[in-house]
Amino acid sequence: MSQTAYAQPLASPAGRVPPPAEPGMALGEVDTPSLVVELGAVERNVARMAEATREAGVRLRPHAKTHKCGAIALAQMSAGAVGVCCQKVSEAAAMAAAGVTDVLVSNQIVGQRKIERLADLARTTSVGVCVDDARNVAALGAAAQAAGVELEVLVEIDVGARRCGVLPGAPAVALAEAVSATEGLRFGGLQAYQGSAQHLRTPDERSAAIENAITATGETVAKLQAAGFECRTVAGAGTGTFDLEAASGVYNELQAGSYVFMDADYARNLDAGGSPITTFEHSLFMYATVMSTPSEERVIIDAGLKSMSVDSGLPIVSDWPGLEYVSASDEHGNLAVGADARRPALGEKLMLIPGHCDPTVNLYDWLVAVRDGRVEALWPVDARGAVY
Ligand SMILES: *Cc1c(COP(=O)(O)O)cnc(C)c1O
């Protein structure tokens, strides 16, 4: 293709696929596979997290990678969130376009084109970003100066997750010095997310991992203070451990995301009594139709690998004991019918709890928002596919 062909805007952009439902429809009429959001449960989850963080005296900046949906981000902010986290520049731009005025890209942004888009976004939106490398600090500073903006920069420390981040302590101080010496950048504090603690199943395992993170983060804050750097923000925490960071006295901004939907994997986290934690409710469901009933022990539904992410396990059939999702291919789900279970009929529709909410949402253009069995709204997944 010639260069000019790329430069031309598409005459007829390929729009979103039409939504699987219309407002006012009964749930049973909604086309499948689709993602159904129970509005009452979303509202209760949003309110519970807002209340928990308010009571603990910490700020809430929920992670929008979970829902990628402007309507939900704005609901979280109405309940008191200071803004949202995003993982990608295009995701942050989609949230800003939906009306979010304060975005932290809780991630490293490396590459000239991305950095320019980030700086451009900061012309109209309050933008923060994380760093763990002085070369990246220089590149961010140059782009911010060129765009005439200031970026808030958090130094990311690795507090045990072994993802991005410099080591706590002296390396973080050195990077804070680099940030504050760079025009166009403002040192904002620390990013200290312990991601690998979130799905540890027992409270003892989770608190041991977060104790280490709190200690390392607290020591780093003190070293920064001694070097003359105030941390306005000490950020981290996910749905599995937010109560620990909230009570730490070290973290002041929490980034939990999955709490708004709660997937099947998070429902496997246990409380001190060994029961699944019930602080937040399942509010996100994959809605599917029985498309074939080949035998007494098996039914096939129309939702397979292209309808959900299976990296954290297969979905659970909601409120249907004995009916188990056992395998998935591209467009089919194979369900085993237990001996005592009711076998769903051909054409019957099922609600399933996805194994992992974030990557599942990214497969859909629309969320079907339902209340009391009726479609109340259709929400675009604004940042669907926003992976760059
Ligand atoms: C994913 C993520 C979160 C949110 O975690 P949940 O488990 O979805 O609540 C918070 N902070 C960062 C940096 C993340 O990547």
Side-chain angles (χ1 to χ4, degrees):
M1 218 187 249
S2 76
Q3 221 179 349
T4 28
Y6 278 115
Q8 296 297 321
L10 290 172
S12 154
R16 293 176 184 279
V17 294
E22 285 165 25
M25 256 182 189
L27 173 62
E29 295 175 73
V30 172
D31 209 347
T32 67
S34 52
L35 273 189
V36 167
V37 168
E38 285 283 2
L39 277 171
V42 164
E43 287 161 3
R44 287 187 292 276
N45 289 344
V46 166
R48 275 183 201 133
M49 184 60 90
E51 191 184 327
T53 46
R54 200 163 34 238
E55 275 174 6
V58 293
R59 301 193 295 267
L60 175 62
R61 181 185 288 279
H63 215 301
K65 75 181 188 208
T66 304
H67 52 69
K68 290 177 169 278
C69 173
I72 297 179
L74 295 178
Q76 290 171 316
M77 290 183 72
S78 303
V82 295
V84 297
C85 295
C86 289
Q87 219 62 332
K88 302 298 180 87
V89 180
S90 53
E91 195 172 68
M95 288 299 113
V100 175
T101 50
D102 188 331
V103 180
L104 169 67
V105 179
S106 54
N107 206 356
Q108 278 63 24
I109 298 304
V110 173
Q112 192 54 25
R113 194 173 161 83
K114 294 177 199 303
I115 290 174
E116 282 170 11
R117 283 189 289 120
L118 185 76
D120 190 46
L121 184 62
R123 292 179 207 261
T124 51
T125 308
S126 179
V127 173
V129 65
C130 298
V131 297
D132 68 358
D133 193 299
R135 292 165 294 185
N136 188 216
V137 169
L140 287 167
Q145 285 171 61
V149 298
E150 194 173 57
L151 295 170
E152 170 112 347
V153 177
L154 302 186
V155 169
E156 178 159 8
I157 53 174
D158 178 3
V159 289
R162 306 191 66 177
R163 197 166 68 179
C164 301
V166 295
L167 288 176
V173 177
L175 209 49
E177 279 162 358
V179 171
S180 72
T182 304
E183 213 178 305
L185 306 183
R186 180 173 69 241
F187 173 71
L190 292 175
Q191 168 75 13
Y193 173 61
Q194 213 314 10
S196 63
Q198 301 307 316
H199 294 268
L200 296 174
R201 295 308 179 202
T202 70
D204 284 351
E205 293 170 297
R206 290 193 297 275
S207 55
I210 296 302
E211 263 321 307
N212 288 337
I214 292 169
T215 304
T217 305
E219 285 171 6
T220 307
V221 171
K223 282 210 166 75
L224 284 162
Q225 228 152 21
F229 296 105
E230 278 310 316
C231 292
R232 191 184 77 80
T233 299
V234 180
T239 301
T241 67
F242 76 95
D243 49 336
L244 303 170
E245 284 93 340
S248 66
V250 170
Y251 288 79
N252 62 16
E253 191 168 297
L254 307 193
Q255 305 179 326
S258 300
Y259 76 94
V260 73
F261 287 154
M262 288 301 289
D263 50 35
D265 194 33
Y266 255 128
R268 289 186 273 267
N269 274 14
L270 303 175
D271 65 19
S275 306
I277 293 174
T278 53
T279 314
F280 300 104
E281 304 168 45
H282 293 296
S283 69
L284 181 79
F285 299 89
M286 195 169 76
Y287 200 42
T289 301
V290 176
M291 58 186 286
S292 174
T293 58
S295 78
E296 282 304 313
E297 307 82 45
R298 227 158 40 82
V299 299
I300 306 296
I301 62 172
D302 59 354
L305 292 173
K306 290 186 184 174
S307 306
M308 64 183 175
S309 172
V310 297
D311 64 298
S312 303
L314 291 165
I316 309 284
V317 186
S318 181
D319 291 328
W320 205 308
L323 189 58
E324 192 188 352
Y325 198 119
V326 289
S327 67
S329 55
D330 274 17
E331 311 285 6
H332 299 92
N334 211 317
L335 275 59
V337 185
D340 300 325
R342 181 170 83 76
R343 179 166 170 270
L346 186 72
E348 197 163 344
K349 290 177 179 174
L350 310 178
M351 296 273 263
L352 298 104
I353 302 158
H356 191 181
C357 50
D358 320 36
T360 297
V361 167
N362 191 49
L363 298 169
Y364 290 81
D365 280 324
W366 298 96
L367 297 176
V368 183
V370 168
R371 194 189 304 276
D372 300 328
R374 290 241 153 239
V375 177
E376 188 167 305
L378 285 149
W379 287 335
V381 181
D382 300 286
R384 190 255 168 107
V387 292
Y388 47 85

